[in-house]
Amino acid sequence: MSAVDVTCEAPVILAAESLSKWFGSFGALDSVDLSVTRGSLHAVIGPNGAGKTTLFNVLTGQLRPSSGRVLFNGEPIEKLPVHRRAHLGMARSFQITSAYPELPVRENVRLAAQAVDCKVRRSVLRAAGHYEEPLAVTRDVLQKSGLSGFAETQAGNLSHGLSRRLEIAMALASRPQLLLLDEPLSGMGVDDIAGMEKFLRSLVPEHTVLLVEHNMPVTLAIADRITVLESGKVLTEGSPREVADNAQVREAYLGRGHV
Ligand code: ADP
Ligand code: MG
């Protein structure tokens, strides 16, 4: 059984309301609104320096916003530290590898599953009928991530593509409702990208995915909804087709030679 909280049926799982982040006098985020629908793959794209990572860090709790609100299942969370957000059901993967390189893949995923298996969470999940043993979670996550065949491989010996998968698998081990990914495709070759596209798509609708990504073609292919940032502001938001057809978006990307 999945640990996704089926009692939380609010259609909007994550929202940002007028979110701003100032670094001194520089506005990295300027009144950003965002609404992520449960069960969707929502992407945030934009040219370098648009504010994508800053938004990601404010949403996940690495950074406090200068003003504005972040709502998870309708509850304000902008003042909560990272670990409290994790216990509510948000998980992030990291661009810099967070796995123990000398340990096998299976052990890394098991440790990630155990890390969230604290007493409080266990009792809450048991009461809700959602509790799963870390070993069962590990097996399931390895299979879903396409890593079962690499379970005994030392994490440090994985290819770049597979180690990105492991980072996502470790985030999945906390059984999040919402998974936030910052540029999971960065540095990947064509073959790895195709596999990652399929993997990311397979995560919805069981998990909601918020993807911050620079790779425009892949984002257009897999996202349900796209928010485009430029200079810290929302340039537009829409379906992949609407975004692809938007003249301002084309200018923002093509004008800087990015696609
Ligand atoms: P993106 O991820 O879209 O490339 P970032 O969110 O990393 O953009 O950065 C947005 C802008 O904010 C950039 O101009 C960057 O230099 C600036 N910035 C990011 N973090 C800081 C910081 N800690 N201090 C000062 N400026 C920052
Ligand atoms: Mg970035």
Side-chain angles (χ1 to χ4, degrees), residues 52-53 95 182-183 212:
K52 302 183 297 296
T53 297
Q95 258 177 303
D182 190 12
E183 300 209 21
V212 168

Side-chain angles (χ1 to χ4, degrees), residues 21-24 26-29 45-57 63 95 182-183 212 214 229 231-232:
K21 179 67 187 176
W22 294 85
F23 295 114
F26 176 75
L29 293 177
I45 63 169
N48 276 332
K52 302 183 297 296
T53 297
T54 304
L55 175 62
F56 185 86
N57 286 336
L63 286 176
Q95 258 177 303
D182 190 12
E183 300 209 21
V212 168
H214 188 69
L229 280 188
S231 305

Side-chain angles (χ1 to χ4, degrees), residues 33-140:
D33 289 317
L34 179 73
S35 181
V36 179
T37 303
R38 181 181 305 281
S40 70
L41 196 161
H42 192 124
V44 175
I45 63 169
N48 276 332
K52 302 183 297 296
T53 297
T54 304
L55 175 62
F56 185 86
N57 286 336
V58 169
L59 294 175
T60 53
Q62 255 74 23
L63 286 176
R64 289 284 161 91
S66 305
S67 60
R69 299 207 304 171
V70 181
L71 304 172
F72 184 67
N73 287 321
E75 298 293 326
I77 58 163
E78 68 276 353
K79 294 196 173 68
L80 297 184
V82 175
H83 70 274
R84 292 278 305 280
R85 298 182 200 208
H87 278 127
L88 288 176
M90 292 172 70
R92 65 170 293 179
S93 79
F94 294 84
Q95 258 177 303
I96 299 163
T97 185
S98 52
Y100 292 103
E102 71 285 1
L103 290 182
V105 165
R106 184 198 306 284
E107 207 50 20
N108 272 291
V109 175
R110 194 181 65 78
L111 286 172
Q114 258 179 1
V116 292
D117 184 43
C118 72
K119 214 170 151 193
V120 175
R121 184 171 161 89
R122 199 156 55 222
S123 62
V124 169
L125 292 176
R126 251 195 197 117
H130 286 151
Y131 177 71
E132 295 167 284
E133 294 294 339
L135 282 179
V137 172
T138 301
R139 203 176 314 119
D140 183 53

